[in-house]
Amino acid sequence: MTGVNDDVPAGGRELLRVEGVTKSFPGVRALDGVDLSLRAGEVHVLLGENGAGKSTLIKMLSGAHRPDEGRILVDGREAVIRSAQDAERLGIATIHQEFNLVPGLTVAENIFLGRQPRTALGLVDRREMRARAAELLRRVRLDVSPATPVAELGIARLQMVEIAKALSLDARVLIMDEPTAVLTSEEVATLFGIVRELREAGVGVIFITHHLDEIAALGDRVTVLRDGRSVTEVPASTDEDELIRLMVGRDIAEQYPRRRPEGPGAPLLRVRGLTRAGAFADIGFEVRAGEVVGLAGLVGAGRTEVARALFGVDRYDAGTVEVDGRAPARGDVRAAMRAGLGLVPEDRKGQGLLLDASLRDNLTLARLDRDTRGGFVDRRAQRREAAAVAERLKVRMSGLEQSARTLSGGNQQKIVIGKWLLAGARLLILDEPTRGIDVGAKVEIYQLVNELTAAGCAVLMISSDLPEVLGMSDRVLVMAQGRIVGELAGEEATQDAVMELAVRSPGGVGNRNESAMEGSDVG
Amino acid sequence: MSAEVLAAPGSTPGQWFTRAVLRNGPLGGLIALTVVMAVLSRDFLNGQNLLNVGVQASVTAILAFGVTFVIVSAGIDLSVGSVAALSATVVGWAATSQGLPVVVAVPLGLAVGAVAGLVSGALVAYGRLPAFIATLAMLSVGRGLALVISGGSPIAFPASLGRLGDTLGGWLPVPVLVMVAMGAVAALVLARTYTGRAMFAIGGNEEAARLSGIDVRRRKLVIYALSGLFAAVAGIVLASRLTSAQPQAAVGYELDAIAAVVIGGASLSGGSGKASGTLIGALILAVLRNGLNLLSVSAFWQQVATGLVIALAVLLDTLRRRSAR
Amino acid sequence: MSAEVLAAPGSTPGQWFTRAVLRNGPLGGLIALTVVMAVLSRDFLNGQNLLNVGVQASVTAILAFGVTFVIVSAGIDLSVGSVAALSATVVGWAATSQGLPVVVAVPLGLAVGAVAGLVSGALVAYGRLPAFIATLAMLSVGRGLALVISGGSPIAFPASLGRLGDTLGGWLPVPVLVMVAMGAVAALVLARTYTGRAMFAIGGNEEAARLSGIDVRRRKLVIYALSGLFAAVAGIVLASRLTSAQPQAAVGYELDAIAAVVIGGASLSGGSGKASGTLIGALILAVLRNGLNLLSVSAFWQQVATGLVIALAVLLDTLRRRSAR
Amino acid sequence: DRGGHTDLGLALSTMNNPFFVGIKEGAQAEAKARGLKINITDAQNDPTQQINQMETFTSQNVKAAVINPVDSDAAVPAVGVANRADVPVISIDRGVNGGKVGSTIASDNVAGGRLAAKALAEAVGGKGKVAFLEGLPGTSAARERGKGFEEGIRAWPGIEVVARQPADFDRTKGMDVMANMLQAHGDIAGVFAANDEMALGASKALGSASGKVKVVAFDGTPDGIAAVRDGALTATVAQQPRLLGKQAVDWAVRAAEGKPLPREVKVPVVLVTRENATAFTG
Ligand SMILES: Nc1ncnc2c1ncn2[C@@H]1O[C@H](COP(=O)(O)OP(=O)(O)OP(=O)(O)O)[C@@H](O)[C@H]1O
Ligand SMILES: Nc1ncnc2c1ncn2[C@@H]1O[C@H](COP(=O)(O)OP(=O)(O)OP(=O)(O)O)[C@@H](O)[C@H]1O
Ligand SMILES: [Mg+2]
Ligand SMILES: [Mg+2]
């Protein structure tokens, strides 16, 4: 797909202007004199590594944070944005990087949270609210009832609800912080369609993404942030290598630097007939020492469920799991760990980290037993081990006592992986390992995968990022509707081949519409 | 979900019973307990006794409705027993000691309750105190003030207010009516008002609520003030029943109220809760106490039994939810 | 952080004071309160009175150390007062009514405390009850059992155990020694044992702890059992001071214990807490009560003052953390 | 004045009952009349707090201390605190089972219980079913009054105690427990409540039946006396809390002066009925 914008000098009058904005958190200067401008009818992409300050910048515009210095101008007039209500009044709508949905409430109520339509008596008008929500859901092509509690939705659908919520504001400025990180190509295509319509209607859009390919497809201008400073502003048609260089300050030779060790080793993991009613059925595959096996599929295909069952988090109804010829007990995480498995979960913050604990405690958590002698923990050994692994992974931190919450996404992910290195895992299951992680940090994680396989370990990599699966896997398994529908070895694994399998129902009949295929072109 | 229909054709009574309990959660628990009591004591299932149970549940239930707001918004209110006593004491003091008319004294008492709640709310919202601590402090302060105002002795309640504790037409107890009315108000607030929906939003995900433009701090003020207001109503009903305001009334009622809310199916981590559930929770506690008295269970064993039933009731509800998955 | 050095050269005493309080959190609060009391009452700052404060803090502090474990793991334990009374009653019953030797009676009492905790823990870990409800049930059951065993009357404590409530060398109170020893054990458990580190992990993020191979449910059993065990020790110290086991002892102490833990800087949402902070929290409460008594503040106003100081102490700590950011 | 000096200490078991408030007021009035400074503390029914408060008194160097024990056994260490500091101790309302106590000033709970039994039996005409509302389980007042009542009622073979339930000395509980008892025992002729508060609750629960069912109470609080006057209660075994408080101060002063003291001072309990209610002043 070609950018429609390459030659059109996009945009009209200036809607928004940020001048010399500075913001510090304890120990970090997150923003340092940042400038940005947004015109009506343009898509302005913010680009930068993890921790560059993108989210902090947009939080100034949405009223979540106040700048320490600098000014924000809306329609040329200085604006003080103290709260979400102020932002709303100024016509600014924001989709934050973290979901801001209330699990117990319905889709309709989440969309109109804090702005529910009222009846004459001042009570919430549910009928009106549902009708208006249904309209918005149609617009984002989300096929759920407005009365569904959002707790029942998967992560991609949550993101679409967030988008519907932002659209409901009819804002003049729409800010989207990594909206595509959790979407599949199909939904990305829908989203792009909506953004283009808005651009036509004169809305100014600020768009943050780590997927470089989306920039040319959608953007008009790009502002690159590095270490809290705005480095430069370039047209969106700038080529990817140049963007990477601007963003990370150096060249990255290869985005997917997979180095496969000589010859496949002995089978490490063997799964046969694994089934759990309602989640997945008859899953069988093998992973050999030194291999990276990719597990591709559309969101909701059941990949996460399989990973959790393998690792003993959830039970399964039938089937066998063997690690190194031995079968760890079902539904027992500790048995799976003893057998040599490790799981890097898709929800890094919710399931991977003790956000407020130190990096030392996080890194050594999975080997707490081993560091314990006679009930007492060898804290000195823990410190030594944590220091060694943090150094090996090149974690950017102020020290081992820093809390995990204050690290950037990529460094947080390194901590989770480091935890399993210290625990001695030989087969690592990575579930969406680079979701929301910048190009530079991604490459570091891929290099780590290489190191692991070179040392005789193996990796099962679940990812919705097709180029990543293709670029890093030695073999690709494709799941659809809870079953493995195909296996593609190295050279046969192309985007088209994977997508064709992924959208096919296990019965063999394709049931997805064309937009899925169209969306896959984006990558 | 707790209102699902009891439909189970073609099963034995035992199966039916188990299923009824499991399907209907707190209501099932209440029914089960009622059946057990009716079987054990022939005095239990008669109209007068059931009205007694209603009266005995009323104060706890009214307190618990207010606490429901707080718990739905992921807070907790330990001060309701003290605030109830303080409000009633203020009414008694104003009406009896100061000779103010009842139409002034009662609104004054209600205002005191709301202000006590407001103060707790301000400590939580603006002082960022954990709700447990802010309301624990208010528990102590409220009780102290009630004692100071009354000098430690009960204050007679004006006769006109005593009627609040009486019966209508010789049989329908007014406290039960007040309980039902306050329950209806609580249900309406929770389901249909802006503040009610904000309670669910704040309890479910406070950050999301804030970023969606809900003024979380101001809402918290309203939530705790409502809890204080309900406590004041409960205190006035209690004092009317006794025809005197007791500064030491309602000691420890906060734990009963919280237990009623949780037995009624609300989660202490916020985001869920229903007025109907809370009513059922309060009724379960009242049926239990009434039944144990009817059965002449020894005082000591009554405490043991109460603990067991509280644990059992919530356990059943947890089981039900898990099996519903 | 609370142990930072008090270094503030070149500032007025007022500034120094504010800064000392703000920098040192709970310790700062304790120092401030002590200074205030010393200024207001000349009886406060003498050796004997300070030892009295230590003794008066001891039971709350020992209970609070146990509760610290539970709060660090994001739970709560409302049953500690009841469990303390139950354990002491069992010791009295075994030693006095059954004539068992003290070396049998005391371990029996400790075991009863641990088992009561274990039961709460099982309800939380396997029954998935909210800790608030499980331990509220245990509060009721424990008290009931203490009354049943004692028949409602106090049981004399054997003389040899009475010494636990006495002084060593005529001045050093044994309860203070026990408090310090249990505090050291608690600090060691929290900082250096597997279970202690697991408490922080479970409290920090239970799901992450489980996915990192910590057997969360079994650890919860241990955590609540420890809390019960500490409660038993507190109960025995309390009964030794009274030279008799009182089935109605320690009513409401759970709220004091929880307040001590939170005043000491722990978060009720789990993942943080220190034994030293808890000790300071218990001392703040004891200094406050002792000082108010010394100042002859009326009993009613004492309750008001206690509430205010609890709120203030936690407010100061919250302020400190915000300014430290 | 940095707290100034304090002459006397009075450690009350609780103030959550008008009876103890009466003691407090009697003591306060007497101390004021004598120009003495008295520190009155409230242990909230917790014997440990009582020890703490005695320690406070010794820190204040009081000349004498009065203790109103939460529990007779558990007060021994509290008395020990004063003994060690050579502060003379008077106990009030309840005895102390050990330690060195100058005088015990009390109305006799056991005797009062017997008196109540007699009054109730006579009121119901020597026969019929009666119910008993007990005090807070585990407290000495509940035990002793219960003991006296059980002993006393045994002398009346025509009377059967058909129900016995605690209502924790609390008016609300008194009302609720009475209502529940009436369900199981609609035919009772009389009730003994171990304090006025519970009796007032019970009489509310009896409602229209309150004329027929005789209620005998204990304490003689202002509310209780008023209820006897109105006929809501049949009788109450009145203690004289103000007198107790006054005498406590009297004897404490004498103790401080080193004068000899009697071991026991019995402040009589008085059966207050409709006839003498108007005349009675606690
Ligand atoms: N509330 C906060 N407290 C402390 N530090 C913060 C806070 N929010 C952000 N930071 C820090 O500010 C810096 C910028 O963070 P920000 O979230 O803006 O980065 P980002 O560019 O959005 O990164 P990503 O691509 O990972 O989303 C980081 O160092 C981050 O750790
Ligand atoms: N907690 C849950 N309750 C109910 N259904 C769920 C739950 N979690 C997942 N599901 C459903 O189970 C199916 C498999 O979801 P799963 O998350 O395993 O898919 P996935 O292939 O891993 O997708 P993703 O790309 O989001 O990781 C989906 O239909 C999903 O909606
Ligand atoms: Mg970001
Ligand atoms: Mg997944």
Side-chain angles (χ1 to χ4, degrees):
Chain A
M1 182 170 299
T2 49
V4 288
N5 46 290
D6 285 2
D7 35 22
V8 190
R13 81 208 149 75
E14 188 177 80
L15 285 174
L16 187 77
R17 180 174 202 84
V18 170
E19 286 180 359
V21 158
T22 296
K23 176 78 187 176
S24 294
F25 296 112
V28 210
R29 175 161 274 217
L31 292 178
D32 192 358
V34 169
D35 301 323
L36 180 76
S37 86
L38 180 70
R39 288 195 287 265
E42 77 160 338
V43 175
H44 194 139
V45 178
L46 268 183
L47 191 61
E49 289 180 282
N50 294 127
K54 305 179 294 295
S55 296
T56 307
L57 177 60
I58 62 115
K59 281 180 182 167
M60 308 281 164
L61 302 174
S62 66
H65 288 324
R66 302 275 306 279
D68 298 338
E69 285 167 34
R71 357 183 258 160
I72 296 167
L73 295 109
V74 178
D75 293 330
R77 258 171 300 149
E78 186 162 352
V80 181
I81 310 174
R82 278 198 201 80
S83 65
Q85 289 109 302
D86 288 350
E88 195 187 320
R89 224 168 290 131
L90 292 166
I92 302 172
T94 306
I95 298 169
H96 288 276
Q97 188 170 6
E98 321 274 324
F99 287 131
N100 283 300
L101 298 172
V102 181
L105 297 183
T106 62
V107 168
E109 269 207 277
N110 268 290
I111 290 176
F112 292 105
L113 197 60
R115 303 174 282 112
Q116 299 96 329
R118 322 261 179 104
T119 63
L121 289 172
L123 299 176
V124 172
D125 187 344
R126 288 193 214 160
R127 196 174 321 151
E128 166 79 12
M129 188 166 75
R130 295 216 171 132
R132 281 166 57 185
E135 178 65 42
L136 286 159
L137 292 176
R138 262 195 300 282
R139 199 162 156 206
V140 300
R141 297 198 207 170
L142 184 54
D143 183 22
V144 300
S145 153
T148 317
V150 300
E152 289 174 14
L153 300 183
I155 196 162
R157 291 174 154 191
L158 292 178
Q159 184 68 64
M160 296 315 278
V161 174
E162 283 276 17
I163 292 165
K165 182 174 165 184
L167 292 179
S168 76
L169 283 166
D170 277 329
R172 296 178 307 144
V173 175
L174 179 59
I175 304 172
M176 306 178 131
D177 195 350
E178 298 196 34
T180 56
V182 299
L183 299 183
T184 50
S185 29
E186 188 184 348
E187 289 133 342
V188 169
T190 307
L191 174 63
F192 281 18
I194 293 167
V195 171
R196 288 188 189 114
E197 277 171 30
L198 292 171
R199 176 166 56 190
E200 295 308 313
V203 173
V205 178
I206 296 178
F207 194 88
I208 300 177
T209 183
H210 286 296
H211 298 290
L212 299 181
D213 48 272
E214 293 171 2
I215 295 173
L218 191 69
D220 296 304
R221 281 192 288 173
V222 180
T223 290
V224 181
L225 289 185
R226 197 194 310 155
D227 298 331
R229 292 198 183 84
S230 32
V231 184
T232 181
E233 190 195 287
V234 292
S237 50
T238 312
D239 85 355
E240 287 190 17
D241 289 340
E242 174 67 6
L243 288 174
I244 292 173
R245 203 188 50 73
L246 288 169
M247 186 164 71
V248 302
R250 66 193 143 89
D251 287 313
I252 288 183
E254 266 182 291
Q255 279 196 46
Y256 301 105
R258 173 69 185 143
R259 285 194 229 316
R260 191 175 183 177
E262 291 293 302
L268 253 180
L269 174 69
R270 185 178 276 149
V271 180
R272 294 275 170 272
L274 203 67
T275 299
R276 193 176 78 223
F280 49 82
D282 198 24
I283 302 292
F285 64 91
E286 228 176 59
V287 182
R288 293 168 171 271
E291 258 191 324
V292 175
V293 174
L295 191 51
L298 298 176
V299 169
R303 297 164 300 169
T304 298
E305 316 301 283
V306 168
R308 285 169 64 92
L310 287 179
F311 191 58
V313 185
D314 299 331
R315 299 199 148 259
Y316 46 90
D317 300 328
T320 56
V321 175
E322 274 176 31
V323 188
D324 249 355
R326 286 182 304 137
R330 284 182 193 195
D332 184 345
V333 173
R334 294 162 67 84
M337 283 170 62
R338 272 194 302 274
L341 294 182
L343 171 68
V344 174
E346 62 182 335
D347 180 1
R348 197 154 53 226
K349 292 181 177 171
Q351 303 178 343
L353 291 166
L354 310 174
L355 283 172
D356 291 307
S358 67
L359 300 182
R360 166 172 63 164
D361 284 345
N362 271 290
L363 283 167
T364 54
L365 186 60
R367 60 170 292 144
L368 197 54
D369 310 44
R370 286 203 239 167
D371 287 332
T372 304
R373 301 264 175 288
F376 287 93
V377 178
D378 187 344
R379 297 284 281 164
R380 205 170 309 156
Q382 282 192 323
R383 165 162 281 281
R384 212 169 42 234
E385 292 151 2
V389 81
E391 166 137 9
R392 177 173 161 202
L393 300 182
K394 301 190 201 71
V395 177
R396 250 158 280 149
M397 58 182 187
S398 63
L400 282 172
E401 296 308 315
Q402 190 179 347
S403 76
R405 186 184 294 280
T406 54
L407 287 188
S408 72
N411 282 298
Q412 285 180 337
Q413 190 68 303
K414 288 186 197 167
I415 297 291
V416 183
I417 296 173
K419 173 167 82 178
W420 291 111
L421 297 186
L422 276 180
R426 283 176 309 130
L427 189 132
L428 212 50
I429 308 169
L430 304 178
D431 195 352
E432 308 288 359
T434 62
R435 179 179 279 172
I437 285 176
D438 71 58
V439 204
K442 265 184 195 169
V443 172
E444 291 182 51
I445 288 171
Y446 298 147
Q447 268 152 2
L448 203 69
V449 167
N450 281 339
E451 277 179 44
L452 282 171
T453 53
C457 299
V459 169
L460 177 64
M461 188 166 80
I462 300 171
S463 174
S464 301
D465 185 350
L466 263 187
E468 169 176 283
V469 179
L470 300 176
M472 286 305 294
S473 311
D474 305 334
R475 278 188 293 139
V476 178
L477 303 170
V478 184
M479 271 187 81
Q481 299 187 12
R483 290 172 184 272
I484 293 190
V485 290
E487 176 177 335
L488 301 166
E491 53 294 342
E492 10 171 271
T494 61
Q495 296 215 3
D496 288 343
V498 171
M499 282 313 293
E500 194 179 331
L501 284 169
V503 300
R504 197 195 295 166
S505 81
V509 188
N511 65 344
R512 298 277 172 159
N513 57 29
E514 283 304 298
S515 66
M517 304 306 292
E518 181 199 345
S520 71
D521 285 348
V522 167
Chain B
M1 199 169 293
S2 64
E4 263 177 56
V5 195
L6 289 164
S11 58
T12 71
Q15 287 175 329
W16 177 87
F17 188 72
T18 318
R19 214 175 312 168
V21 170
L22 281 183
R23 266 219 202 134
N24 294 279
L27 185 60
L30 178 60
I31 293 170
L33 190 64
T34 306
V35 170
V36 168
M37 288 303 175
V39 169
L40 291 179
S41 162
R42 57 176 176 200
D43 303 313
F44 180 77
L45 218 57
N46 78 50
Q48 184 55 47
N49 191 57
L50 293 182
L51 284 175
N52 283 350
V53 171
V55 176
Q56 288 160 21
S58 60
V59 172
T60 307
I62 298 170
L63 288 174
F65 291 138
V67 173
T68 306
F69 301 143
V70 179
I71 288 181
V72 165
S73 68
I76 198 151
D77 194 344
L78 296 176
S79 71
V80 290
S82 292
V83 170
L86 174 61
S87 302
T89 303
V90 167
V91 173
W93 170 83
T96 306
S97 316
Q98 304 299 306
L100 294 174
V102 167
V103 291
V104 177
V106 170
L108 189 68
L110 295 176
V112 166
V115 169
L118 213 59
V119 172
S120 300
L123 287 173
V124 172
Y126 296 90
R128 313 255 181 104
L129 287 193
F132 194 98
I133 293 296
T135 60
L136 178 62
M138 183 52 72
L139 177 158
S140 197
V141 171
R143 184 68 64 187
L145 290 178
L147 287 164
V148 168
I149 292 172
S150 64
S153 305
I155 307 179
F157 236 46
S160 55
L161 274 176
R163 260 178 246 138
L164 261 180
D166 261 0
T167 53
L168 279 187
W171 66 275
L172 187 60
V174 181
V176 172
L177 287 181
V178 178
M179 168 173 80
V180 170
M182 296 306 283
V185 171
L188 189 73
V189 167
L190 282 168
R192 301 293 302 275
T193 64
Y194 181 80
T195 299
R197 302 319 293 170
M199 291 170 192
F200 286 93
I202 295 170
N205 184 345
E206 182 165 334
E207 182 68 7
R210 192 167 71 88
L211 292 178
S212 303
I214 291 176
D215 191 340
V216 172
R217 290 186 296 185
R218 188 154 334 149
R219 276 318 115 189
K220 282 190 177 172
L221 288 186
V222 177
I223 291 165
Y224 284 85
L226 275 175
S227 176
L229 187 67
F230 273 63
V233 172
I236 293 170
V237 169
L238 178 62
S240 311
R241 289 189 67 203
L242 302 170
T243 61
S244 87
Q246 309 256 322
Q248 286 287 6
V251 170
Y253 281 29
E254 55 279 354
L255 293 184
D256 270 13
I258 295 168
V261 176
V262 178
I263 292 174
S267 154
L268 283 170
S269 43
S272 72
K274 281 169 132 186
S276 59
T278 297
L279 178 62
I280 291 168
L283 287 174
I284 285 180
L285 292 176
V287 165
L288 179 66
R289 301 238 159 93
N290 174 281
L292 292 173
N293 280 339
L294 285 182
L295 294 172
S296 291
V297 173
S298 113
F300 306 157
W301 286 108
Q302 283 195 18
Q303 298 210 29
V304 177
T306 308
L308 292 180
V309 170
I310 290 177
L312 209 66
V314 183
L315 206 55
L316 264 180
D317 196 39
T318 316
L319 272 179
R320 176 184 64 91
R321 284 175 209 222
R322 264 196 277 172
S323 75
R325 285 251 186 103
Chain C
M1 194 169 294
S2 64
E4 262 177 55
V5 195
L6 289 165
S11 58
T12 72
Q15 287 175 328
W16 176 88
F17 188 72
T18 317
R19 209 173 319 169
V21 171
L22 280 184
R23 268 223 199 129
N24 294 278
L27 186 59
L30 177 60
I31 293 169
L33 190 65
T34 305
V35 169
V36 169
M37 288 302 173
V39 169
L40 292 179
S41 162
R42 59 179 171 199
D43 300 317
F44 180 78
L45 216 57
N46 78 50
Q48 184 56 47
N49 191 56
L50 293 182
L51 282 176
N52 287 349
V53 171
V55 176
Q56 288 159 21
S58 60
V59 172
T60 307
I62 298 170
L63 288 174
F65 291 138
V67 173
T68 307
F69 301 144
V70 178
I71 288 182
V72 165
S73 68
I76 199 149
D77 194 345
L78 297 175
S79 71
V80 291
S82 291
V83 170
L86 174 61
S87 301
T89 304
V90 167
V91 174
W93 169 83
T96 307
S97 316
Q98 304 298 305
L100 295 174
V102 167
V103 290
V104 177
V106 170
L108 190 66
L110 296 177
V112 166
V115 168
L118 214 57
V119 171
S120 301
L123 287 173
V124 172
Y126 295 91
R128 312 255 182 101
L129 288 193
F132 195 98
I133 293 296
T135 60
L136 178 63
M138 183 52 73
L139 177 158
S140 195
V141 171
R143 184 68 62 188
L145 290 178
L147 286 164
V148 168
I149 292 172
S150 64
S153 309
I155 307 178
F157 236 45
S160 54
L161 274 177
R163 261 179 244 137
L164 260 180
D166 260 2
T167 53
L168 278 188
W171 66 275
L172 187 60
V174 181
V176 173
L177 288 181
V178 177
M179 169 175 78
V180 170
M182 295 308 283
V185 170
L188 191 72
V189 167
L190 282 168
R192 303 294 301 277
T193 65
Y194 179 83
T195 300
R197 301 319 298 171
M199 291 170 193
F200 285 96
I202 294 171
N205 185 342
E206 182 165 331
E207 187 64 8
R210 191 165 77 96
L211 291 186
S212 301
I214 287 177
D215 190 342
V216 171
R217 291 187 295 184
R218 190 156 330 151
R219 274 320 115 191
K220 282 191 178 171
L221 287 185
V222 177
I223 291 166
Y224 285 85
L226 276 174
S227 176
L229 186 66
F230 273 63
V233 172
I236 293 170
V237 170
L238 176 63
S240 308
R241 285 192 73 202
L242 301 171
T243 63
S244 79
Q246 307 259 328
Q248 286 287 11
V251 169
Y253 280 30
E254 55 279 355
L255 294 183
D256 270 15
I258 295 167
V261 176
V262 179
I263 292 174
S267 153
L268 283 171
S269 45
S272 73
K274 279 168 132 186
S276 60
T278 296
L279 178 63
I280 291 167
L283 287 173
I284 285 179
L285 291 177
V287 165
L288 179 67
R289 300 240 158 90
N290 175 281
L292 292 173
N293 280 341
L294 281 180
L295 294 173
S296 299
V297 173
S298 113
F300 302 158
W301 285 108
Q302 281 196 23
Q303 298 208 31
V304 178
T306 308
L308 292 179
V309 171
I310 289 176
L312 207 67
V314 182
L315 206 56
L316 265 180
D317 197 39
T318 315
L319 273 178
R320 175 185 64 91
R321 282 173 210 224
R322 265 196 276 173
S323 75
R325 287 250 186 105
Chain D
D1 62 347
R2 308 225 317 157
H5 79 118
T6 307
D7 302 296
L8 298 176
L10 167 56
L12 284 176
S13 59
T14 175
M15 288 200 204
N16 87 14
N17 181 315
F19 171 74
F20 296 99
V21 178
I23 294 182
K24 174 189 145 206
E25 286 165 0
Q28 246 166 359
E30 180 66 12
K32 194 163 176 216
R34 290 169 177 263
L36 296 174
K37 189 155 184 231
I38 185 166
N39 184 5
I40 302 178
T41 59
D42 171 9
Q44 297 177 331
N45 272 326
D46 178 353
T48 321
Q49 282 211 39
Q50 207 146 39
I51 305 182
N52 302 346
Q53 289 159 355
M54 289 299 270
E55 285 170 349
T56 308
F57 294 160
T58 61
S59 294
Q60 289 178 315
N61 292 313
V62 296
K63 299 193 188 69
V66 183
I67 184 168
N68 156 228
V70 171
D71 178 273
S72 302
D73 290 310
V76 176
V79 170
V81 169
N83 289 164
R84 276 194 294 282
D86 287 323
V87 174
V89 184
I90 303 289
S91 94
I92 178 169
D93 185 46
R94 291 170 198 144
V96 181
N97 299 340
K100 224 170 77 217
V101 178
S103 286
T104 300
I105 307 165
S107 37
D108 191 336
N109 275 320
V110 180
R114 281 197 216 102
L115 187 58
K118 182 162 168 285
L120 183 62
E122 285 169 353
V124 300
K127 61 178 182 351
K129 296 180 178 174
V130 299
F132 175 19
L133 289 176
E134 303 171 286
L136 182 66
T139 59
S140 68
R143 269 200 311 279
E144 290 166 8
R145 290 171 196 182
K147 182 161 171 274
F149 177 74
E150 306 278 2
E151 284 173 13
I153 211 75
R154 236 174 274 140
W156 300 81
I159 290 183
E160 189 194 350
V161 182
V162 291
R164 187 182 278 108
Q165 290 280 313
D168 301 354
F169 290 136
D170 181 87
R171 200 184 289 196
T172 324
K173 290 215 178 92
M175 177 159 47
D176 290 345
V177 172
M178 189 74 244
N180 296 342
M181 279 178 166
L182 281 175
Q183 287 307 312
H185 309 284
D187 54 349
I188 52 168
V191 181
F192 170 53
N195 79 345
D196 284 349
E197 288 292 303
M198 291 189 291
L200 290 167
S203 111
K204 284 235 75 183
L206 287 166
S208 55
S210 73
K212 281 175 277 161
V213 181
K214 309 295 177 195
V215 182
V216 173
F218 206 114
D219 268 354
T221 59
D223 278 6
I225 303 286
V228 171
R229 210 181 295 132
D230 303 343
L233 300 185
T234 307
T236 181
V237 176
Q239 316 191 68
Q240 307 186 56
R242 289 171 164 277
L243 187 60
L244 278 169
K246 176 186 180 315
Q247 293 217 355
V249 171
D250 282 345
W251 291 102
V253 169
R254 271 193 240 186
E257 289 164 351
K259 292 192 185 142
L261 300 167
R263 276 216 58 72
E264 271 189 76
V265 182
K266 280 284 175 213
V267 175
V269 290
V270 186
L271 188 71
V272 178
T273 57
R274 203 159 187 175
E275 286 73 56
N276 63 355
T278 321
F280 184 84
T281 54

